[in-house]
Amino acid sequence: MNDDGARCHRYIYPIPNPGPESFEKARQHPPSNRHDLESEQLESSISPPFHSQSLKSLHLSLLLRQFDSYSQSNGKEASLFNHESRIILFRASNRAYCSRSFTTDVKHKIVEVGPRDGLQNEKQIVPTSVKVELIKMLVSSGLPVVEATSFVSPKWVPQLADAKDVMSAIQGIGRSKFPVLTPNLKGFTAAVEAGAKEVAVFAAASESFSNSNLNCSIEDSLARYRDVAIAARDRAIPVRGYVSCVVGCPIEGAVPPSKVAYVVDELVKMGCYEISLGDTIGVGTPGTVIPLLEAVLHVVPVDKLAVHFHDTYGQALSNILLSLQMGISVVDASVSGLGGCPYAKGATGNVATEDVVYMLDGLGVKTGVDVVKLVSAGDYISKQLGRCSNSKVAVALSKKMAAAAASKL
Amino acid sequence: MSSLEQPLGLDKLPCLSNIDAPFRFSSGACRPIPEDMGMGNCWIEGRSCSSSNSCDDDFEEYAEDPIGWRTKMRNSLSRSSSLGRSCVACGTTTNFSYLSNYNDTRGSKYRLFKDIPRYVRIVEVGPRDGLQNEKKIVPTSVKVKLILKLVSSGLSVVEATSFVSPKWVPQLADAKDVMDAVKHLKDVRLPVLTPNLKGFEAAVAAGAKEVAVFASASESFSKSNINCSIEESLVRYRAVTSAARKLSIPVRGYVSCIVGCPVEGYISPSKVAYVAKELHDMGCFEISLGDTVGVATPGTVLPMLEAVMAVVPIEKIAVHFHDTYGQSLPNILLSLQMGISTVDSSVSGLGGCPYAKGATGNVATEDVMYMLNGLGIKTNVDMDKLRAAGEYINHYLGRASGSKTAVALTRRASPLPDASIA
């Protein structure tokens, strides 16, 4: 067997033309238990937080059902599976390539940050009614969490000066959660008065960025957030933590993963239920994301982590794919890619939710989000802002949807 | 579209590392030594690597451990057994002695990047695949200058032009003139598209030293795009390849619509494997798998690549993803994880998608380079010169770059804003 043969055969079972009998064989002979045990032991010694749910007997019927329901609910191009590729996919899922920490039982969550993180970077002040309409459309597309606004001083973020009005307008819409940013106890109090049921705090992994962005050191910001966390705990209000500059800082350059792990640890210790790791300037690539995640996974279980990649260098989706492979199941994104990068004028910032949902759908991940409704929400806000969507999926699908609508007339 | 395929991931069979080691090197491409993923410096830096990245450079040795967590990991693992996962290195080099302590710390990153190549060849298709989709006719001199700039950035393969009938592709009617101007260039391969024997003969007469043929995995797309069925196109290409063999001219094969077709919808992986195998058997030295409408996601790329890798050796497979739905970089990452080491891309993302007006097409070479640099994969391409080539052609075409990396790198000089942004 030459090199080529070895490499090729690593990826498939030895029978080159799949037929029902090879499929049966594959199902009856999952990878050896001994190796699984070794892997599990190794994994638990390296990183206890990895999910230990096993992938074996991933319920082929479940797989097939999901394929079917997905393809039925999508257009022609999206319905991609016939019997043959199901076999190939099952074989693939039954051997080494699959993530042990990623199963279809885990429901992945998309946290929509467009109305806050997206809009706050837009120069043009958006009226409250437009913000509320956007939030309503996002909720109706199925997004489980929509970051509504921020209770920071209007002096710093004039776009979100109407935080109170937005909050009162969205009370009781749908079943989504609406976290709001609260930089300190004062903001927290205002948020609670306005009806907020979940808050978020925002630390930096880089000292210089913390000083320039929050006007205080990392330790000072953590002290402030401890106050917020205590007050939140008294009211049973969950707190989400953000860490910015997890890969690189516009001032300092590279940020060591150990620093990020430290800040994450502090946020978890003070009571944050989830920590979102933000690649603020978008410089992360899969090569830098792995050590970052490994460092953080030493201090916090994977189910408490979210990733918030920026698409400034076009790397967000591949970073997200990698994070999924490492077991992360919460992804932050912004509809229509709202929110540029303040550090590279004209460059993009947040990754577009439509693009993320497209990829997750392609992987069979359950997000509960309807891409078509999401694209409509993105179109709405893009029109209001008078510019094109930053989402490639939205651009590609909009043209198609318009053509389809025109042909029906 | 979907797949329920689990994302590539954590390899759960650690014993494979012992089997794989001897097979890791193949001719014509660098393969990773088990301990050396070549990513050390990039992982520390957190930024893209230096713009010059030659395969000849030695990797730096990490004498210190600037990152505390690595020491912590090593310490915690030294207590546990190696669990039979001996780190058999094949051909260890002394440069990476620090990595021998890494045996057990490879963990997930090892499993996720076990097969990732150490060197990736980028095939630049901008001058042909990119420009042919541009409405504005670009003068020969501009095309030639673009090719020269691309070659000077270190790209080793630049698809120069296409010898198809000018009636079909007016943009490339000046194929002969372009070839005249560039055929003397050294240390670079300049393949040209040849749809049939007539085009092949014209290409050879014009001085081409490498040609490419273009089949489709979708019957409908084949008929609408090249006006013949898949089988008929393969017959034509057999004529081209046998003529090319007599002249010792290598032939590259393309397969389009590897995941989805604008007419038929889903394309089964076995069909793609069939066409790829036919092209390979007729003598193509490399098969480039093209996601023509950009609908592929990692979930659909996996089964397709598996099917093709069963019939074509992996080092002969290249991937050509379109960024119409923004999915090309994750698809490329997945292909790298599966061991593919040749990637097609187009400088500045030249070339829209003809099937979704206004949508993007080819993936931008700069963005691919940024990711490869971040992974520590060598490409021999200079990012600054590449960007300059992109700026040149965008300036001529009067439009913004299609590459996010190029935009960001160009504008990175902006100072920090005053207002704090929480």
Side-chain angles (χ1 to χ4, degrees):
Chain A
M1 186 187 276
N2 60 10
D3 284 4
D4 302 342
R7 249 190 310 281
C8 287
H9 286 118
R10 258 215 314 283
Y11 300 105
I12 58 159
Y13 287 104
I15 303 166
N17 291 315
E21 38 319 338
S22 70
F23 165 67
E24 267 311 296
K25 192 174 165 186
R27 199 159 61 156
Q28 282 157 23
H29 298 285
S32 153
N33 285 337
R34 182 179 69 82
H35 295 141
D36 283 354
L37 183 58
E38 270 189 28
S39 287
E40 254 175 75
Q41 284 176 345
L42 186 62
E43 273 184 349
S44 63
S45 68
I46 292 176
S47 37
F50 278 177
H51 286 185
S52 57
Q53 290 163 32
S54 170
L55 259 187
K56 342 179 231 246
S57 39
L58 229 214
H59 317 301
L60 177 64
S61 57
L62 173 64
L63 283 173
L64 296 180
R65 259 210 310 276
Q66 282 177 319
F67 288 159
D68 282 332
S69 68
Y70 196 84
S71 39
Q72 275 158 27
S73 62
N74 285 276
K76 199 173 171 203
E77 260 173 48
S79 67
L80 302 190
F81 294 94
N82 62 19
H83 181 63
E84 192 173 64
S85 42
R86 285 176 194 160
I87 293 176
I88 296 175
L89 283 164
F90 179 76
R91 285 187 294 128
S93 73
N94 210 7
R95 52 137 184 85
Y97 259 153
C98 295
S99 165
R100 303 187 81 245
S101 57
F102 173 62
T103 72
T104 52
D105 297 333
V106 174
K107 187 135 184 234
H108 288 61
K109 186 171 72 169
I110 296 198
V111 173
E112 171 58 48
V113 301
R116 197 278 306 168
D117 193 15
L119 289 182
Q120 85 180 9
N121 283 309
E122 297 289 333
K123 286 205 182 79
Q124 185 190 343
I125 300 289
V126 175
T128 308
S129 54
V130 172
K131 286 182 183 129
V132 171
E133 182 59 28
L134 171 65
I135 294 176
K136 283 186 180 152
M137 292 180 82
L138 291 169
V139 169
S140 75
S141 76
L143 287 159
V145 182
V146 178
E147 211 181 37
T149 186
S150 176
F151 283 83
V152 296
S153 163
K155 190 176 59 169
W156 295 118
V157 189
Q159 175 75 268
L160 304 177
D162 58 356
K164 196 157 159 309
D165 301 328
V166 169
M167 282 313 290
S168 46
I170 62 175
Q171 290 301 321
I173 320 177
R175 288 189 298 189
S176 307
K177 300 207 176 101
F178 300 112
V180 297
L181 226 64
T182 52
N184 46 35
L185 208 47
K186 184 171 158 206
F188 175 77
T189 313
V192 171
E193 271 170 21
K197 304 229 173 24
E198 184 174 321
V199 299
V201 296
F202 205 101
S206 145
E207 199 66 55
S208 334
F209 189 78
S210 189
N211 282 319
S212 74
N213 201 39
L214 307 172
N215 286 315
C216 63
S217 69
I218 298 179
E219 283 307 324
D220 289 344
S221 69
L222 290 174
R224 283 185 206 171
Y225 300 147
R226 277 186 205 101
D227 293 338
V228 171
I230 291 172
R233 199 180 322 138
D234 292 340
R235 287 173 181 73
I237 289 182
V239 182
R240 188 181 204 240
Y242 281 90
V243 184
S244 59
C245 293
V246 296
V247 176
C249 164
I251 310 168
E252 281 181 13
V255 174
S258 53
K259 198 66 194 269
V260 181
Y262 167 73
V263 177
V264 169
D265 195 29
E266 291 296 311
L267 288 171
V268 168
K269 286 203 292 227
M270 73 173 70
C272 293
Y273 76 94
E274 190 171 87
I275 314 293
S276 173
L277 304 171
D279 177 18
T280 309
I281 49 174
V283 292
T285 59
T288 41
V289 166
I290 287 214
L292 162 71
L293 289 179
E294 285 195 321
V296 173
L297 285 170
H298 265 291
V299 300
V300 107
V302 71
D303 49 358
K304 285 193 190 286
L305 282 180
V307 287
H308 183 122
F309 290 113
H310 276 196
D311 209 29
T312 316
Y313 291 76
Q315 308 295 311
L317 279 179
S318 39
N319 292 339
I320 290 171
L321 175 65
L322 195 72
S323 309
L324 291 175
Q325 290 175 334
M326 292 193 67
I328 307 276
S329 57
V330 184
V331 177
D332 294 4
S334 176
V335 68
S336 177
L338 278 182
C341 177
Y343 306 103
K345 290 273 169 287
T348 55
N350 285 308
V351 65
T353 316
E354 298 93 319
D355 298 357
V356 174
V357 171
Y358 189 92
M359 182 172 80
L360 293 181
D361 280 350
L363 286 163
V365 170
K366 291 185 286 217
T367 55
V369 178
D370 180 332
V371 164
V372 173
K373 289 187 180 161
L374 186 58
V375 167
S376 310
D379 276 348
Y380 168 75
I381 191 67
S382 300
K383 281 198 183 73
Q384 293 291 329
L385 292 169
R387 64 182 181 109
C388 304
S389 175
N390 271 331
S391 158
K392 292 194 171 179
V393 168
V395 168
L397 285 181
S398 296
K399 309 272 177 189
K400 282 195 180 169
M401 277 156 41
S407 66
K408 277 188 191 146
L409 289 171
Chain B
M1 151 151 3
S2 263
S3 147
L4 209 151
E5 185 41 83
Q6 311 312 321
L8 269 226
L10 311 187
D11 186 336
K12 57 182 182 171
L13 298 177
C15 64
L16 270 186
S17 67
N18 296 329
I19 300 170
D20 293 346
F23 297 139
R24 227 172 274 281
F25 292 92
S26 76
S27 60
C30 303
R31 292 279 171 200
I33 301 170
E35 288 78 27
D36 157 37
M37 305 319 289
M39 292 183 264
N41 50 344
C42 293
W43 290 19
I44 306 291
E45 292 299 326
R47 284 187 184 275
S48 59
C49 291
S50 71
S51 53
S52 146
N53 73 17
S54 157
C55 203
D56 297 332
D57 288 345
D58 281 338
F59 290 99
E60 293 156 29
E61 183 172 347
Y62 271 87
E64 7 175 318
D65 177 12
I67 294 186
W69 63 271
R70 271 197 195 150
T71 314
K72 185 179 165 194
M73 238 196 320
R74 246 184 277 156
N75 290 342
S76 70
L77 284 163
S78 60
R79 289 191 289 275
S80 60
S81 70
S82 64
L83 296 170
R85 220 167 114 171
S86 61
C87 209
V88 174
C90 143
T92 33
T93 68
T94 51
N95 283 348
F96 305 104
S97 53
Y98 77 99
L99 285 168
S100 59
N101 290 330
Y102 250 40
N103 304 0
D104 301 313
T105 62
R106 283 170 303 170
S108 56
K109 64 179 178 263
Y110 175 70
R111 283 172 289 176
L112 288 174
F113 289 104
K114 188 161 64 71
D115 294 322
I116 213 166
R118 186 163 142 179
Y119 172 76
V120 161
R121 182 170 42 234
I122 295 189
V123 173
E124 171 60 46
V125 301
R128 196 276 307 170
D129 193 16
L131 289 183
Q132 87 179 12
N133 284 310
E134 296 290 331
K135 285 203 182 83
K136 184 175 176 189
I137 300 287
V138 175
T140 308
S141 56
V142 173
K143 286 185 182 123
V144 170
K145 199 156 175 200
L146 172 65
I147 294 176
L148 291 173
K149 282 181 184 283
L150 291 168
V151 171
S152 77
S153 75
L155 288 158
S156 59
V157 187
V158 177
E159 211 181 35
T161 185
S162 175
F163 284 82
V164 296
S165 164
K167 191 175 57 170
W168 295 118
V169 187
Q171 176 76 268
L172 305 176
D174 57 356
K176 188 164 167 307
D177 302 327
V178 170
M179 280 314 293
D180 275 341
V182 300
K183 61 187 173 189
H184 62 279
L185 290 171
K186 297 233 184 324
D187 296 328
V188 63
R189 287 169 27 202
L190 299 161
V192 298
L193 225 64
T194 53
N196 47 35
L197 206 48
K198 184 172 158 205
F200 174 75
E201 281 156 8
V204 171
K209 300 223 173 34
E210 183 176 319
V211 299
V213 295
F214 205 99
S216 172
S218 151
E219 198 66 58
S220 335
F221 188 77
S222 189
K223 293 209 172 79
S224 71
N225 202 38
I226 48 181
N227 286 316
C228 62
S229 71
I230 299 179
E231 283 308 322
E232 284 164 12
S233 70
L234 291 175
V235 165
R236 284 185 204 170
Y237 301 147
R238 280 187 201 103
V240 171
T241 47
S242 46
R245 201 178 314 129
K246 293 195 184 90
L247 296 169
S248 301
I249 289 183
V251 182
R252 189 182 205 237
Y254 281 91
V255 184
S256 60
C257 293
I258 53 171
V259 170
C261 165
V263 180
E264 278 179 21
Y266 170 62
I267 301 294
S268 92
S270 56
K271 199 67 194 271
V272 182
Y274 167 73
V275 177
K277 185 171 193 307
E278 289 294 312
L279 288 172
H280 176 248
D281 290 346
M282 74 173 68
C284 291
F285 76 95
E286 190 168 84
I287 315 293
S288 173
L289 304 171
D291 175 24
T292 309
V293 282
V295 293
T297 60
T300 42
V301 166
L302 177 70
M304 184 275 302
L305 279 181
E306 283 195 318
V308 176
M309 288 189 325
V311 297
V312 175
I314 195 173
E315 62 267 13
K316 296 191 180 188
I317 301 176
V319 287
H320 183 122
F321 291 114
H322 276 196
D323 210 32
T324 317
Y325 290 77
Q327 308 296 310
S328 56
L329 279 179
N331 292 337
I332 291 173
L333 176 65
L334 187 69
S335 309
L336 293 173
Q337 287 176 330
M338 291 180 82
I340 305 279
S341 58
T342 309
V343 175
D344 293 4
S345 61
S346 176
V347 66
S348 180
L350 276 183
C353 177
Y355 305 101
K357 293 273 166 287
T360 56
N362 286 307
V363 62
T365 311
E366 297 93 320
D367 296 353
V368 175
M369 279 283 302
Y370 191 89
M371 184 169 78
L372 295 177
N373 284 348
L375 283 164
I377 295 174
K378 299 299 182 191
T379 54
N380 290 345
V381 178
D382 183 321
M383 177 72 100
D384 294 331
K385 291 185 179 164
L386 180 64
R387 277 198 300 133
E391 273 168 24
Y392 169 75
I393 191 66
N394 287 325
H395 181 70
Y396 179 81
L397 291 170
R399 59 170 195 144
S401 176
S403 158
K404 289 190 173 180
T405 299
V407 169
L409 287 175
T410 309
R411 305 198 189 188
R412 206 164 52 173
S414 306
L416 280 179
D418 285 334
S420 59
I421 296 173

